Amino acid sequence: MRVAVFCGAARPADPVHLQEAATIGRLLAEHSIHIVMGGSRLGLMGALADAALAAGGQVTGIIPRPLNTPRITHPGLTSLETVPDMTSRKQRFVDLADAYLALPGGFGTLDELAHVWAGAAHGARARPVGLLNTSGYYTPLLTFLNHAAAGGFLTRHPDLRLDELAVVDDDPARLLQSIAARIDRPTATRHAMATLHGPS
Ligand SMILES: C/C(=C\CNc1ncnc2c1ncn2[C@@H]1O[C@H](COP(=O)(O)O)[C@@H](O)[C@H]1O)CO
């Protein structure tokens, strides 16, 4: 099972975000969940990857070629894939992940979240999305999404329900439990087999 994690490259003002990123990394590794992420050593991405690797986990980085420099790329990932640009990276996250997790972050994280939500709104197979709401980081975004829904702007796909857009929790372990319970296991297994052996 693979989870794509979107999270900040910046050093956060409050170190609790680095600690929580490390907690998520460790928990994913302990549950043998393969992490797919932006491939950087910086910010929350670095904290997540370091903790997962230290706990024996698998971490795949997907990094756009222009960002693949020693200053940015994590040197110890179990695998690293280079892609031409940010748009291709977002598509690789969608190709590879059985679920998505967003930790606190900036425009890059929001862009990745919007990409998966827009895909689901346009009929792509919806996969669970978890928001780690440390210190209420995502509460203003959720308020905005409710505002957008009330304004009738999130209705393009008739099956899309706002409460299905994301599972929100400020507790890393509870959030992972909720996401794991929502993963479509037969599809995830077929998907893993197809990736390993080619489509049957
Ligand atoms: C150019 C600088 C840092 C950029 N480094 C990044 N390396 C890898 N992945 C990145 C980087 N910046 C953005 N991403 C992707 O977006 C998310 C983080 O962006 P945010 O704006 O910090 O939220 C993350 O999930 C990555 O996939 C500075 O020198």
Side-chain angles (χ1 to χ4, degrees):
M1 187 185 305
R2 278 185 297 243
V3 170
V5 184
F6 312 144
C7 58
R11 181 194 297 267
D14 186 341
V16 71
H17 296 298
L18 294 171
Q19 291 153 15
E20 293 292 77
T23 300
I24 289 270
R26 178 179 54 77
L27 288 171
L28 287 167
E30 285 173 358
H31 290 86
S32 303
I33 297 173
H34 188 143
I35 296 171
V36 182
M37 45 79 79
S40 179
R41 67 194 301 168
L42 304 174
L44 275 65
M45 278 187 281
L48 169 92
D50 288 346
L53 293 165
Q58 300 276 308
V59 185
T60 292
I62 313 286
I63 196 147
R65 206 157 286 125
L67 291 182
N68 188 11
T69 67
R71 191 181 71 79
I72 293 176
T73 304
H74 195 293
L77 302 178
T78 41
S79 58
L80 182 72
E81 189 178 319
T82 52
V83 290
D85 49 43
M86 306 277 198
T87 302
S88 318
R89 166 158 66 185
K90 285 184 284 188
Q91 190 51 47
R92 286 304 284 154
F93 287 147
V94 171
D95 292 343
L96 293 172
D98 301 304
Y100 310 101
L101 269 181
L103 279 51
F107 287 131
T109 300
L110 293 173
D111 179 36
E112 290 161 350
L113 262 177
H115 182 78
V116 300
W117 278 335
H122 288 83
R125 183 169 68 81
R127 299 179 183 93
V129 177
L131 298 183
L132 183 65
N133 200 26
T134 308
S135 309
Y137 185 79
Y138 278 114
T139 301
L141 177 64
L142 296 165
T143 302
F144 170 75
L145 290 174
N146 275 305
H147 170 69
F153 286 99
L154 299 186
T155 57
R156 192 185 290 256
H157 192 263
D159 297 333
L160 184 72
R161 294 205 350 244
L162 189 58
D163 61 352
E164 290 174 349
L165 272 183
V167 179
V168 184
D169 208 309
D170 63 0
D171 181 76
R174 236 176 14 224
L175 181 63
L176 292 186
Q177 268 175 7
S178 304
I179 287 296
R182 283 169 171 75
I183 288 179
D184 172 357
R185 287 175 198 282
T187 306
T189 305
R190 274 200 307 277
H191 175 233
M193 296 301 282
T195 308
L196 285 172
H197 305 300
S200 51

